[in-house]
Amino acid sequence: MTVIAPPSPLSAPAPADRPGFRLTVTEPLALDSGQSLASYDIAYTTAGTLNAERTNAILICHALTGDQYFAQPHPITGKPGWWDVLVGPGKVLDTDRYFLVCANVLGGCMGSTGPADIDPATGKAWSLSFPVITIGDMVRAQKQLIDHLGIDSLFAVIGGSMGGMQVLQWALSYPDRVFAAVPIATAPRHSAQNIAFHEVGRQAIMADANWCGGDYIAQGLRPERGLAVARMAAHVTYLSEQALHRKFGRNLQNRDAISFGFDADFQVENYLRHQGNSFVDRFDANSYLYITRACDYFDIAAEHGGVLANAFKNTKTRFCSISFTSDWLYPTSENRDIVHALNASAANVSFVEVATDKGHDAFLLDEPEFHATLRGFIEGCAQHRGLNKS
Amino acid sequence: MSPDSTRLITPLKNELREDLRLVAQMIEPGSRVLDVGCGEGELLSYLYQHKNVDGRGMELSQGGVNSCVRNGLSVIQGDADNDLHDYPPHAFDYVVLSQTLQATRNPHDVLRHLVRIGRRAIVSIPNFAHWRMRLRLLTEGRMPRTAALPHHWYDTPNIHLCTILDFIDLCDDEKIKVERSVALDDLGQAYRLNPRGRLANLLAAQGLFLLQGRS
């Protein structure tokens, strides 16, 4: 994937360990909590080329532990971009036709301002003095980037999981600036079960002595054990019982018999430990606290008198909601709540439930039915938008 | 709309079924249409290409929905019994329910929703009083099975079959105004018969009705 030059000289290239671009916004950001950020960075990457009319831009919103490296290798893990299967010339998110932008969320740890960064007021890491942020705050910050890129109206905003929440928030906050919205494997509110799982993760981090009440950066420590356990627990929720069974069953890890001990006897244990251990190399524990909290606070209906249907009144955006049969984290029923609310506004909406046993993570994987759906929807929207194949 | 927006999304594999062509004829160009039970989106594609219609679909089978969305149509998975109540009154110029009313659990509720959501509703039904049905029942003494209604009594999705006269009675009871009715033969061609008459009820394989929405 080639990285295109910044569309405007105002963005500076990001530091070498964070390839891509960085926008420093000096206009204060008013947050939902009532606090504000005096200035902040947004780290982002792009793929494809913005057309002269600036009508072919697609904003990609990443999930909880994702980042802006959707289309290029990750600078820490070296793994391909997290949506590499979808992005490229001739692919569903066709870089020959569309200009793709993905920004690290506010509160993140890959270059956008977050709790691991230095608070200019104190010269020390923000840590827990970083203000609590919401999905709405993340989107407000992204809007600054889209303004900066000179894009009046996004052709599409697309994202899965927490990225899907941002998609919905975009469609609500800036309806005139979103031509098409694709919320995938998401929900109009974070369910009690999902808040519960997030709390397990947060408590795992806080239980790590190295967390130091959140002050680990100043202490020169890292709560890696806690963060790894948080990741292990969360990772199970991204899969499905069938997928785990298919991948691992009760297979033993490099041994012929159980050990009558607490080693990783089973492959599934080994796999989860690996997931946990590799995660801590690329993620900040306090970022994990802040971003999970932002998801927990997400509830569209609450902002509209408790009636979800009121949220999308008179929307002109074209929606395509996609869910996966084996996703128990953001089940079809919750995705369907979004569709019902859109129907109540007689909005233009498509809804597809993709049959798969891969669980919530299916949106990141090679799922032909999902990809065909997304391709068809985008192609249909491109025709309505007058974006023709060149 | 730009000229480009009326281009083919996907070329139709086959010509539009004859009865759907009659449905399409009832629809004004440029209108908003909801096709309930839209199958693979044949009618919606046709209306989009030929009548510049802003179309939406609802379909029970996931395969049908996926194929519609793949082809650029706005379609959701849902069914007439459960998913019509979300829509606000007069959300569409036309709501189409083709050969599906007999498969709903509560046909009268569905019908009420159709005339609530649409300024007009277009409904087609298989006519159980067709002479072939009558003859089979008379001569064989068993539940009739035909090309149009091929299922056994125990596995049929068509749990609320009716005749053309029954349907018109229901519309009268519900005070729904039937603006036009058409009697169709086995091939979906229109008969030159009074659709409210006993002869149409004997000869027609299907009835097609344009209903006035509730104001």
Side-chain angles (χ1 to χ4, degrees):
Chain A
M1 184 61 43
T2 49
V3 178
I4 309 299
S8 154
L10 292 171
S11 296
D17 62 339
R18 298 281 184 274
F21 309 112
R22 186 153 67 174
L23 172 69
T24 299
V25 183
T26 50
E27 190 184 321
L29 184 72
L31 303 169
D32 283 333
S33 65
Q35 292 184 264
S36 72
L37 273 177
S39 78
Y40 54 96
D41 289 345
I42 303 173
Y44 66 100
T45 67
T46 69
T49 313
L50 190 60
N51 64 12
E53 302 81 27
R54 299 181 181 229
T55 54
N56 68 335
I58 297 179
L59 178 67
I60 310 286
C61 299
H62 70 72
L64 175 62
T65 61
D67 51 39
Q68 69 271 38
Y69 300 105
F70 72 111
Q72 65 187 82
H74 196 275
I76 295 173
T77 66
K79 286 186 179 165
W82 55 266
W83 247 0
D84 202 53
V85 289
L86 279 175
V87 180
K91 291 198 197 172
V92 174
L93 300 174
D94 188 347
T95 46
D96 288 338
R97 297 178 68 193
Y98 305 112
F99 175 64
L100 310 172
V101 187
C102 182
N104 188 208
V105 294
L106 193 66
C109 50
M110 285 304 288
S112 291
T113 298
D117 292 317
I118 302 297
D119 176 0
T122 63
K124 293 181 190 156
W126 283 96
S127 298
L128 291 197
S129 66
F130 193 73
V132 169
I133 47 151
T134 64
I135 301 291
D137 295 331
M138 293 175 182
V139 165
R140 227 166 279 141
Q142 285 165 2
K143 189 215 160 227
Q144 295 296 320
L145 171 63
I146 299 307
D147 286 346
H148 160 76
L149 296 173
I151 297 162
D152 274 342
S153 163
L154 287 160
F155 168 56
V157 184
I158 303 175
S161 197
M162 186 185 84
M165 296 178 184
Q166 294 165 63
V167 171
L168 295 172
Q169 189 69 54
W170 260 98
L172 287 171
S173 299
Y174 309 107
D176 299 335
R177 300 188 66 172
V178 182
F179 184 80
V182 188
I184 303 161
T186 191
R189 74 190 72 79
H190 220 223
S191 67
Q193 176 174 266
N194 288 3
I195 295 170
F197 278 121
H198 277 178
E199 177 61 2
V200 169
R202 286 190 293 262
Q203 288 300 326
I205 291 168
M206 293 176 181
D208 187 323
N210 284 355
W211 182 61
C212 306
D215 200 33
Y216 53 87
I217 293 175
Q219 308 294 327
L221 295 167
R222 284 170 63 83
E224 292 186 344
R225 290 301 307 145
L227 183 58
V229 172
R231 175 62 168 181
M232 289 167 75
H235 197 80
V236 176
T237 70
Y238 304 153
L239 306 174
S240 70
E241 204 267 333
Q242 303 106 294
L244 280 172
H245 178 74
R246 177 165 46 74
K247 265 177 139 166
F248 307 108
R250 291 180 53 84
N251 296 341
L252 299 180
Q253 180 67 31
N254 299 332
R255 65 198 68 192
D256 299 325
I258 52 173
S259 69
F260 294 95
F262 297 102
D263 242 18
D265 274 358
F266 295 99
Q267 283 180 6
V268 66
E269 292 173 289
N270 190 61
Y271 168 79
L272 276 185
R273 289 182 185 191
H274 170 74
Q275 289 295 328
N277 291 335
S278 57
F279 182 61
V280 301
D281 294 337
R282 66 174 181 89
F283 219 87
D284 172 62
N286 281 339
S287 262
Y288 196 86
L289 303 185
Y290 278 89
I291 300 175
T292 53
R293 207 61 179 146
C295 293
D296 293 352
Y297 284 166
F298 189 67
D299 183 356
I300 295 174
E303 292 171 23
H304 293 85
V307 183
L308 187 58
N310 290 345
F312 298 103
K313 261 191 183 144
N314 303 321
T315 181
K316 291 191 173 59
T317 302
R318 304 172 78 88
F319 288 83
C320 181
S321 165
I322 301 171
S323 72
F324 300 95
T325 48
S326 54
D327 183 350
W328 55 282
L329 196 59
Y330 295 91
T332 290
S333 60
E334 293 185 17
N335 289 275
R336 205 186 271 281
D337 287 343
I338 300 165
V339 177
H340 284 167
L342 287 164
N343 281 344
S345 310
N348 192 313
V349 54
S350 293
F351 169 63
V352 168
E353 181 188 36
V354 175
T356 173
D357 74 353
K358 291 176 188 154
H360 180 60
D361 261 356
F363 80 96
L364 296 168
L365 303 172
D366 187 16
E367 279 290 339
E369 190 66 46
F370 162 46
H371 294 186
T373 298
L374 193 54
R375 185 187 287 277
F377 176 73
I378 290 175
E379 184 55 38
C381 289
Q383 288 188 21
H384 284 281
R385 175 88 158 189
L387 293 173
N388 297 320
K389 277 191 170 162
S390 47
Chain B
M1 262 191 181
S2 72
D4 292 321
S5 66
T6 56
R7 283 185 324 162
L8 276 171
I9 287 188
T10 307
L12 280 177
K13 288 177 222 104
N14 303 304
E15 287 294 296
L16 196 60
R17 229 168 58 203
E18 197 55 40
D19 60 319
L20 292 181
R21 187 178 300 282
L22 288 167
V23 170
Q25 277 174 15
M26 290 179 169
I27 291 172
E28 296 286 330
S31 49
R32 278 162 66 90
V33 175
L34 174 66
D35 186 359
V36 184
C38 63
E40 306 249 318
E42 300 89 340
L43 177 66
L44 286 172
S45 292
Y46 179 89
L47 291 171
Y48 177 66
Q49 291 156 27
H50 297 280
K51 294 213 159 183
N52 193 26
V53 152
D54 178 11
R56 315 284 165 74
M58 184 184 286
E59 168 60 31
L60 187 57
S61 92
Q62 200 59 60
V65 177
N66 296 17
S67 128
C68 287
V69 177
R70 263 203 309 269
N71 292 333
L73 299 169
S74 300
V75 173
I76 65 163
Q77 207 243 344
D79 70 78
D81 278 307
N82 294 311
D83 295 293
L84 289 176
H85 61 266
D86 289 327
Y87 293 96
H90 289 188
F92 297 94
D93 296 312
Y94 300 89
V95 181
V96 178
L97 187 73
S98 173
Q99 304 283 316
T100 302
L101 190 67
Q102 78 283 352
T104 62
R105 272 197 311 279
N106 295 301
H108 53 303
D109 279 343
V110 170
L111 197 60
R112 285 175 202 150
H113 278 302
L114 297 182
V115 293
R116 179 184 66 82
I117 298 166
R119 290 177 196 285
R120 288 195 168 89
I122 300 173
V123 178
S124 72
I125 52 155
N127 177 24
F128 206 72
H130 187 228
W131 64 270
R132 247 190 254 278
M133 300 283 185
R134 299 192 196 198
L135 191 63
R136 295 243 168 121
L137 194 56
L138 186 66
T139 58
E140 296 174 20
R142 291 190 172 86
M143 284 301 285
R145 290 166 59 207
T146 62
L149 296 170
H151 301 87
H152 293 98
W153 65 272
Y154 51 82
D155 65 6
T156 181
N158 302 313
I159 52 176
H160 283 120
L161 287 159
C162 70
T163 72
I164 289 179
L165 291 179
D166 286 332
F167 181 78
I168 290 174
D169 285 350
L170 176 61
C171 290
D172 290 346
D173 288 351
E174 292 287 329
K175 303 201 166 37
I176 294 168
K177 190 175 171 215
V178 182
E179 288 191 10
R180 266 183 76 192
S181 37
V182 184
L184 308 178
D185 68 13
D186 283 334
L187 302 170
Q189 308 268 7
Y191 274 116
R192 291 168 180 276
L193 286 172
N194 170 14
R196 283 178 170 262
R198 294 196 164 271
L199 199 54
N201 200 36
L202 179 66
L203 295 179
Q206 300 178 43
L208 172 63
F209 307 89
L210 178 66
L211 311 176
Q212 198 174 76
R214 291 218 163 107
S215 47

